[in-house]
Amino acid sequence: MQQELSDLSNTLLEIYQNNLLFLKENFFDIFQKVDKLSIEIENGTHKENYSLEYRDGYFDIFNHNSNSYFYNSNSYEDADARADFINFTKDGSLDLLRKNPYSPEKKLISGEVFADVAPIIDYVNEVVDFENIEFDRIYKFIYIGTGLGVHLTEIHKKVNALSTMIVEPDLEVFRLSLFVTDYTVFDKSDKKLFLSVGDEMNNILATLDKFYRHHNYLNYNIKHHLFLENYSHILDEIISYFNSHSPTHFPYKYVVDNVDKIINFGKNKERFFNFDLILEKNILRDKKVLIISAGPSVDNYIDWIYKNQDKFLIICVDVILKKLYKNKIKPSIVVSIDPLDLCADFLDIDDYEFLKDTSFVFMSQQAEKTVETVSKYSRYFSQAVPLLGELGYLGTVPNVGTFSFSIAIHLGANELYLVGNDAAFNQETGSRYADDCSYTIDDNMEALNEGLDISHSDVLTSKGNLRENVKTNRELFAFKHNYENMIHQLSTYEYKAYNLSDGVFIEGLIPLFKTELDEKVKSFDLQQVSCRDELDSVTVEINDLLEFSDDIKVCNAIISKIKKYQKKKPVLNRDEFLNNKVALMVSILEDSKKMSTEVFGNIFLIFTELSDIYINFVLGIRIRNKNKDEIIKKLNILWSSAIINLFKDIKKHLKQV
């Protein structure tokens, strides 16, 4: 018996040492955390909360604080039961393909927004039984919580995932699992492991982002397993991430259209921001900048803003402009980015005197109707895609609120005050926007959080900015992540940003109550409304930069190459299709490097990510009563034809110059 225990101890130590070496070579930050904890345990500076115990043929974790066992049952039998529960259907997974909510057969959304990929989607709808999906293989798997990790091994044996993400918030628990579970199996051969241990939520989401981008053409379904219910908040965050990250959210067609709009606005001699001039001038440096978004918190401040407006340079989003007009508050800058004609109504104020000192800042994806609505006033554009390298690139953002913040920081603002960026609905009424906005939505404040599928309306409870907790929903909560991502991207800039909103807490913004704000404002100097001259100094006309004749030649060459590919004998099976497909994609990307900007190659990559999630979805499921090889032949024709149409579309826009 003593010898058996000695052998067991040696085996555990060997597993632990192998895991440490693996972490040191592949996850050095996690290795350092584990190593530091081990040293502190050995020298007595850290009191262990947990210890590993061997009980009746299985390992368990003893909790010294609660004097109880983690499993309190056979951990190996628990692992087997969890593995048995995992299947190859869509149960326990996140379905990232956009479904038509009005389709009783749960068909996929198609239509013009997906442009040349739409025929592929329509064909998928024709051949797939969406009510009885069964996968051949699970390509992406997320584990939330490790315990001793025994269930990780058993589930992985069953699903053999290509990409695995493992999240364990408790460093001590993870350290104990290193004695029992071999983590190297998740990162062998063609497999890839993404690991988050003892991290705050921002770092968990950063790891999730890497997991998402690895083999992004397989992001049609993400299987997951929640080890403990008290880790469900992590699952909520993961679902919220995928709620706003998908190739279907910003299809390549939008990028092609943005190229067209930059060209047209340039031909019309509109002024565009020049990044070098922005860095040189810092036109908002040392000004007190108040950014007004459209969340319900604006109602709490509207009278205060009216009384103190001359102490700030005010930047507002388009949808709040009419409320400011009604309350006689003059903004210096109005920001608008949405490509829909609806934004024209937001800006339609028939009072020249009120807006004569106001400047309008647009993304170049803006609808022409919106720009025409403010044709009498100063207008400035930021490239929605980096078409012209000479201008530099300020980046793109998912919503007007984060863009207003981004543009202020880029223009040199170093002291900002934000209101209306709630990322939550009104806690009493459910209203998503302030009163008198140009747009209104009332959210269901009690919508069920189902946990398994992505639903915009699921209600979540989150840490509040000015109160302990607030209710929000997944769609609004995505605004928090967007803001935090933008703050991270702007980490090289020095500034202080105060959040006045009674909504969700946003990491990187400083919560500030109105009473504290009143004290600050007493020392503020008066500000001028107009900043037109300053904006003129950091913008240029771009008409002379629009030259794409060589790019058109490359488009023609790519189109000829695809037509030649189509004349070859039809593909016979899945492997032949995938091999031919990869070779052709690599060749097209090489050709695109000859073009004047990376934008065109990136358009092809975005097109590929979108088309491939549908193609790989079909290739990765079991299709009954249909010839899979015939389906593959059809997909090959649709895919190659879609590429031809894509480059014809690009060429059409470039020929306008």
Side-chain angles (χ1 to χ4, degrees):
M1 181 66 179
Q2 189 65 35
Q3 184 60 43
E4 289 180 5
L5 291 176
S6 177
D7 291 343
L8 182 58
S9 178
N10 289 334
T11 299
L12 296 182
L13 188 59
E14 182 180 351
I15 294 171
Y16 180 72
Q17 294 295 343
N18 287 339
N19 277 324
L20 282 185
L21 180 61
F22 171 70
L23 292 176
K24 189 173 184 179
E25 292 176 348
N26 298 279
F27 302 93
F28 190 68
D29 59 330
I30 298 176
F31 166 78
Q32 287 181 308
K33 290 181 185 180
V34 173
D35 190 49
K36 181 175 181 288
L37 177 61
S38 299
I39 293 171
E40 289 174 348
I41 290 173
E42 289 175 9
N43 63 27
T45 58
H46 178 88
K47 183 181 178 181
E48 285 184 280
N49 295 303
Y50 309 104
S51 59
L52 181 65
E53 292 195 11
Y54 186 66
R55 308 177 67 207
D56 300 325
Y58 69 90
F59 289 100
D60 207 334
I61 300 173
F62 183 71
N63 187 325
H64 296 283
N65 297 316
S66 62
N67 200 34
S68 62
Y69 286 97
F70 201 85
Y71 289 89
N72 204 31
S73 62
N74 190 308
S75 54
Y76 295 105
E77 293 177 359
D78 174 87
D80 289 339
R82 291 175 185 271
D84 287 343
F85 183 76
I86 300 298
N87 59 43
F88 287 80
T89 72
K90 293 194 298 179
D91 296 342
S93 68
L94 303 179
D95 186 357
L96 303 188
L97 300 179
R98 289 177 63 184
K99 300 294 179 57
N100 184 345
Y102 305 108
S103 167
E105 300 89 3
K106 300 180 181 179
K107 300 288 187 180
L108 302 172
I109 290 178
S110 182
E112 179 58 30
V113 68
F114 298 114
D116 310 302
V117 176
I120 297 175
I121 302 173
D122 293 338
Y123 182 64
V124 173
N125 279 333
E126 180 184 328
V127 299
V128 173
D129 176 7
F130 286 94
E131 294 184 341
N132 297 286
I133 297 294
E134 188 175 2
F135 297 104
D136 284 322
R137 181 180 177 185
I138 306 299
Y139 284 99
K140 290 200 163 190
F141 205 112
I142 299 176
Y143 299 91
I144 306 168
T146 63
L148 286 176
V150 187
H151 71 288
L152 306 180
T153 302
E154 294 307 311
I155 293 174
H156 186 67
K157 285 179 184 176
K158 184 174 184 178
V159 302
N160 193 29
L162 188 66
S163 302
T164 301
M165 179 174 171
I166 299 174
V167 182
E168 175 50 64
D170 195 313
L171 178 60
E172 268 198 67
V173 170
F174 177 74
R175 178 179 174 272
L176 294 181
S177 76
L178 296 177
F179 289 92
V180 179
T181 297
D182 178 10
Y183 282 91
T184 67
V185 299
F186 301 99
D187 208 71
K188 286 183 176 177
S189 186
D190 61 342
K191 298 177 180 61
K192 179 70 174 175
L193 174 63
F194 297 84
L195 197 55
S196 173
V197 176
D199 285 331
E200 297 292 331
M201 189 56 65
N202 281 349
N203 290 330
I204 293 174
L205 294 176
T207 302
L208 179 63
D209 192 65
K210 294 175 184 175
F211 170 80
Y212 171 81
R213 297 182 190 286
H214 183 70
H215 293 321
N216 56 9
Y217 51 85
L218 295 173
N219 286 331
Y220 53 82
N221 189 275
I222 312 292
K223 205 83 165 178
H224 58 78
H225 179 78
L226 181 65
F227 185 64
L228 295 173
E229 280 302 318
N230 60 352
Y231 286 168
S232 60
H233 66 286
I234 298 175
L235 178 58
D236 280 339
E237 294 275 4
I238 289 172
I239 293 173
S240 294
Y241 172 93
F242 284 113
N243 186 35
S244 57
H245 289 75
S246 167
T248 63
H249 289 161
F250 194 79
Y252 72 94
K253 178 63 175 172
Y254 289 159
V255 186
V256 177
D257 290 345
N258 281 338
V259 169
D260 181 60
K261 287 183 176 181
I262 292 174
I263 292 171
N264 284 326
F265 286 133
K267 287 163 61 178
N268 291 337
K269 297 189 176 180
E270 300 287 358
R271 297 187 68 85
F272 280 74
F273 285 109
N274 181 290
F275 192 72
D276 290 338
L277 292 175
I278 283 175
L279 290 180
E280 177 189 337
K281 303 284 187 178
N282 279 322
I283 63 174
L284 299 187
R285 179 69 65 198
D286 298 327
K287 296 182 183 297
K288 313 300 182 185
V289 175
L290 175 64
I291 299 179
I292 306 175
S293 295
S297 289
V298 175
D299 290 331
N300 301 329
Y301 280 89
I302 197 69
D303 293 335
W304 186 96
I305 296 171
Y306 170 74
K307 294 175 184 176
N308 293 278
Q309 62 180 302
D310 57 353
K311 299 289 187 71
F312 295 94
L313 186 146
I314 295 177
I315 300 174
C316 77
V317 301
D318 48 9
V319 72
I320 203 71
L321 179 61
K322 287 186 177 179
K323 181 180 180 72
L324 300 188
Y325 174 62
K326 181 177 179 180
N327 288 275
K328 300 179 182 179
I329 298 168
K330 291 188 176 184
S332 297
I333 297 173
V334 179
V335 177
S336 185
I337 71 169
D338 202 304
L340 299 178
D341 287 345
L342 181 65
C343 291
D345 297 331
F346 301 163
L347 305 181
D348 189 11
I349 294 176
D350 189 19
D351 187 344
Y352 177 80
E353 192 64 27
F354 177 75
L355 291 175
K356 68 177 183 178
D357 294 321
T358 298
S359 298
F360 291 83
V361 171
F362 297 122
M363 289 285 276
S364 61
Q365 64 192 22
Q366 205 75 42
E368 290 185 14
K369 180 181 178 182
T370 304
V371 179
E372 290 170 0
T373 301
V374 295
S375 59
K376 294 181 288 188
Y377 309 104
S378 299
R379 304 174 306 280
Y380 307 92
F381 290 80
S382 177
Q383 290 191 102
V385 294
L387 179 65
L388 301 174
E390 299 91 332
L391 294 183
Y393 183 50
L394 302 184
T396 187
V397 289
N399 57 66
V400 68
T402 48
F403 182 67
S404 61
F405 179 77
S406 170
I407 201 71
I409 298 296
H410 279 117
L411 290 173
N414 56 343
E415 185 174 342
L416 305 95
Y417 298 82
L418 290 74
V419 64
N421 55 320
D422 296 54
F425 42 69
N426 184 299
Q427 299 297 285
E428 281 72 44
T429 68
S431 177
R432 184 177 298 194
Y433 294 96
D435 294 341
D436 299 320
C437 272
S438 298
Y439 195 66
T440 59
I441 293 179
D442 290 328
D443 287 302
N444 183 347
M445 296 189 289
E446 304 298 334
L448 178 65
N449 174 9
E450 298 178 353
L452 293 180
D453 293 311
I454 296 174
S455 173
H456 294 315
S457 61
D458 285 347
V459 171
L460 312 171
T461 299
S462 178
K463 178 182 177 181
N465 185 55
L466 300 181
R467 63 176 85 184
E468 184 177 358
N469 294 303
V470 295
K471 280 187 175 182
T472 184
N473 60 34
R474 292 201 193 283
E475 186 173 8
L476 287 168
F477 198 66
F479 183 80
K480 164 186 164 71
H481 292 313
N482 294 333
Y483 235 102
E484 290 174 344
N485 288 339
M486 178 55 62
I487 289 168
H488 177 72
Q489 292 172 29
L490 297 169
S491 59
T492 58
Y493 290 82
E494 294 184 4
Y495 62 87
K496 285 188 175 180
Y498 298 94
N499 190 1
L500 316 177
S501 305
D502 187 15
V504 169
F505 173 76
I506 296 175
E507 193 76 38
L509 302 181
I510 305 167
L512 190 70
F513 289 92
K514 191 184 291 185
T515 53
E516 299 171 299
L517 179 61
D518 282 331
E519 287 300 312
K520 282 180 169 290
V521 169
K522 290 177 182 178
S523 63
F524 289 3
D525 296 326
L526 298 181
Q527 303 276 348
Q528 289 184 335
V529 174
S530 177
C531 57
R532 184 181 304 117
D533 291 342
E534 290 89 343
L535 288 169
D536 281 344
S537 73
V538 296
T539 55
V540 296
E541 292 183 8
I542 65 169
N543 195 38
D544 292 341
L545 303 177
L546 301 172
E547 169 52 50
F548 301 108
S549 56
D550 290 339
D551 298 309
I552 292 172
K553 293 177 183 177
V554 177
C555 288
N556 287 331
I558 291 173
I559 292 169
S560 297
K561 179 178 294 186
I562 305 301
K563 288 181 176 179
K564 185 177 180 180
Y565 168 82
Q566 289 182 323
K567 291 178 180 178
K568 293 182 178 179
K569 63 179 181 179
V571 294
L572 298 177
N573 53 48
R574 180 182 188 276
D575 289 342
E576 185 178 2
F577 171 49
L578 291 177
N579 289 336
N580 289 351
K581 187 169 174 290
V582 169
L584 188 58
M585 287 164 52
V586 170
S587 178
I588 292 170
L589 286 172
E590 286 298 315
D591 288 340
S592 69
K593 291 178 181 178
K594 303 170 187 174
M595 303 181 82
S596 62
T597 170
E598 293 180 354
V599 166
F600 303 115
N602 288 338
I603 289 173
F604 178 66
L605 287 174
I606 298 170
F607 159 85
T608 297
E609 184 179 359
L610 179 65
S611 62
D612 278 10
I613 61 170
Y614 295 101
I615 291 171
N616 287 312
F617 166 68
V618 174
L619 298 182
I621 63 175
R622 296 167 189 173
I623 299 182
R624 299 169 181 83
N625 304 320
K626 286 185 171 60
N627 187 318
K628 194 74 172 271
D629 289 341
E630 289 301 316
I631 291 173
I632 289 168
K633 289 178 184 178
K634 180 67 173 179
L635 288 173
N636 182 51
I637 294 170
L638 292 172
W639 173 75
S640 55
S641 297
I643 300 175
I644 291 174
N645 292 332
L646 166 64
F647 281 95
K648 282 184 176 180
D649 196 20
I650 293 173
K651 186 176 73 169
K652 177 188 71 177
H653 295 310
L654 298 184
K655 288 177 73 173
Q656 297 178 86
V657 180

